[in-house]
Structure formats: C-alpha cells, structure tokens
Amino acid sequence: MTASAPVTARAPAKVNVHLAVGPLRPDGFHELRTVYLAVSLFDTVTVGPGDGLSLSVTGEGADVVPADRRNLVWRAAELLAGSAGVPADAEMTIAKSIPAAAGLAGGSADAAAALVALDALWGTRASREDLAGLAAQLGSDVPFSLLGGVALGSGRGEQLSPVLARTPSHWVLGIAGEGLSTPAVYAELDRLRAAGRVPDGTDLPPAEPVIAALRSGLPQELAGALGNDLQAPALTLRPELRRALAAATEAGAAGVLVSGSGPTVAALVADEQSAVRLTAALAGAGVFRTVRAVQGPVPGARLVG
Ligand code: ATP
C-alpha cells in the first residue's frame, strides 16, 4: 500500500581508505579490492505520491546533476517498481550535500537512499538483501552506500564484508576544482599501466594492513596504511591536485589521499579538534572550493524523521 505522506531517507558519502585496482576484466570492469568507510556527509532523498516519476535536485552541485532518467535515483525507482510489480509513481527530490563527481559516491548514496525511501512509500517490503541485489544492478558503490560502516569490497566493489573499526576516525575533505569522470580516471590508469609508468595491477596489494590499522583505532597506523591506485591517474589528469595534497600535509594532516577517483582530497587527522583546526587552515589556503570536517564510520542508507 502506498503511503500518502512524503518519506525521507539519507545516505552517506564514502572514502576508500584502501583502493587496489586489478587489470581490466573482459566485461570492461576492473577487479577491485577496497576498504570503504562511510563518512558523516549525507544527501537526502524525499519521495511522495505522484503520477509517474518526477525529480528535482537541490543543494551542492545541483546544477551539474541531471534531473531525468540519467539520474541514478530515477533508475533506482524504475528498478524497484519493476522488481516489486508496482507502478513507478513518485515525486522525488534530492537534497545534495555530497558534491557530484567528487569521488565520494554521491550518486550512489542518492540511489541507496531512494531505494529505502521508495520501499517505504510504496510498501514493497523488500528485505535488506533484496535491496542490496537491486543496489548492485545500479552501480558498484551502491551496495556499500546501503550498508554503510566500514567494509571490504571485492569484485567490482559490490561484494561486501563488514570490517570492525575500533574508534571513529576524523577526516577533512577538500574538494578541489571541477568534478572528475570516474571512467576517465580508470582509462588513464590503463594508459599509465600500458606505458609501464605504474605497476600493472596483477598482484593486488592486500587490504590486511589497513584493516589491522582500523582495528587498532590508532590514527598514525591508519595514516601509514592508506593507499589508492586511482591517485596516480587522478594526478596526471589534474596536476594541481599535487598542490592540494601538499597543502593538507603541510597544514598538519596525519595522512592524505585522493578519495576514490578524485578530485576530493581526504586528510586524516588525530581527533575532532585537529579536524576543526585543519578545516580552518585549508579553507584559508585557497586551493579548495569546499572544505568539510567529517567522521566515520556512520550507518548506510536509513529513513529519517
Ligand atoms: P564514485 O566515487 O562512485 O565513482 P563520484 O562520487 O565521483 O562517483 P557521483 O557524484 O556519483 O560521482 O556522480 C558521477 C556522475 O553521475 C555525475 O557526473 C552525474 O552526471 C551522474 N549522476 C547520476 N545521478 C546522480 C546523482 N543522484 N548525484 C550525482 N551525480 C549523479
């Protein structure tokens, strides 16, 4: 039965604290071994009764996010309606705080939040497993946006096993310049590998050091274990990111890396106070468009209100 009042769900951004990319597979995807961390920067999706589907997008970067069938939220709605055998009727609004094309899985967060909100609106009563299956059809990062917390991802990143983190970690996210296209960053990695400029990815580095560091709860250990194979191609496509990484290190970050396919710089700090200090320093440094202090892990897509 369809609810008559609007329903809102929110889902978090993610940082890949470890991202090892294998060679290109015959299906066009790369084999990944990654450790996802959900952080406290959320998009919300509100859905209400409608006649057919409609979508509006507000907030951070709304002008560059399509508000039609190209939007992952629209595809999530069609997929859930099709699998549950209900009409795809909903008025949907995305309120974005997660910048688009920033390597923070904003689109995936929106898709996960939409699945949760529409399931409640339409009374489709999908189990968490059902939703995870639909999420994997929408994109490699969507299952993690649904699950949240910390998880080891394999396959395309969609096969997840939860990881224990002893204490929350504190981060400052610096968003530099225009968005980077994820396929373009993977293509650049393939090019660098073909030219022999970076290791070919046949031997995926293990995720155990970063998992052990998360278990220890020691920021210095985690800082030493951070790694991202997409950082090199993100830096060749966006050389000014070097200055952004250096700015974060010089301002006192314990560890820095490019988040996912970039261009967001994720700077790890020891505690909340250091995060406040680093946020102020980086906001004044002139290299970032937006600077946000966050912490993780936080839960995945959930109903709010
Ligand atoms: P990832 O880290 O998962 O590779 P990302 O965080 O770099 O992704 P997204 O914010 O998910 O990137 O957006 C990538 C592209 O997806 C955008 O340029 C946009 O055209 C498209 N897109 C589709 N739906 C959405 C959405 N709801 N929010 C943002 N972008 C969306």
Side-chain angles (χ1 to χ4, degrees):
M1 216 186 69
T2 301
S4 53
V7 177
T8 298
R10 72 174 193 177
K14 60 83 187 160
V15 171
N16 301 85
V17 290
H18 172 90
L19 179 49
V21 182
L24 192 60
R25 305 192 311 203
D27 65 359
F29 289 100
H30 291 80
E31 184 71 21
L32 298 188
R33 190 179 294 147
T34 186
V35 178
Y36 293 105
L37 172 71
V39 295
S40 57
L41 178 63
F42 301 93
D43 279 359
T44 64
V45 174
T46 299
V47 299
D51 185 8
L53 292 175
S54 62
L55 176 63
S56 58
V57 185
T58 64
E60 173 81 34
D63 48 327
V64 296
V65 175
D68 52 28
R69 286 205 71 200
R70 288 168 297 168
N71 198 296
L72 272 184
V73 160
W74 196 291
R75 292 178 34 218
E78 288 183 334
L79 192 62
L80 178 63
S83 85
V86 299
D89 289 332
E91 220 177 274
M92 309 180 287
T93 308
I94 307 172
K96 291 200 72 72
S97 297
I98 308 172
L104 294 169
S108 303
D110 299 346
L115 287 175
V116 169
L118 289 167
D119 178 53
L121 179 77
W122 292 336
T124 39
R125 294 172 171 271
S127 66
R128 220 55 199 181
E129 288 68 34
D130 294 338
L131 292 183
L134 298 177
Q137 294 178 51
L138 290 166
S140 306
D141 291 342
V142 186
F144 178 72
S145 302
L146 196 61
L147 181 70
V150 195
L152 174 65
S154 52
R156 291 182 284 123
E158 85 288 11
Q159 294 161 23
L160 299 173
S161 40
V163 165
L164 177 84
R166 183 176 298 274
T167 52
S169 53
H170 296 271
W171 299 82
V172 177
L173 304 179
I175 294 103
E178 294 301 301
L180 264 178
S181 144
T182 303
V185 176
Y186 275 100
E188 180 65 13
L189 175 66
D190 294 336
R191 205 186 60 76
L192 291 176
R193 284 178 167 171
R197 290 176 54 193
V198 295
D200 67 7
T202 345
D203 294 318
L204 279 185
E208 277 65 29
V210 81
I211 292 174
L214 285 162
R215 273 206 200 104
S216 78
L218 299 170
Q220 281 304 342
E221 243 182 74
L222 182 56
L226 300 172
N228 178 5
D229 283 349
L230 294 181
Q231 181 158 313
L235 287 173
T236 51
L237 291 175
R238 203 51 78 69
E240 58 272 28
L241 269 179
R242 280 184 202 284
R243 198 155 70 87
L245 289 167
T249 306
E250 281 157 23
V256 291
L257 88 171
V258 167
S259 174
S261 52
T264 298
V265 167
L268 175 67
V269 290
D271 50 35
E272 202 168 350
Q273 267 184 338
S274 312
V276 172
R277 272 200 303 273
L278 186 63
T279 304
L282 293 183
V287 281
F288 295 107
R289 177 161 53 88
T290 313
V291 182
R292 300 293 285 267
V294 297
Q295 57 149 322
V298 297
R302 293 282 182 282
L303 292 176
V304 291

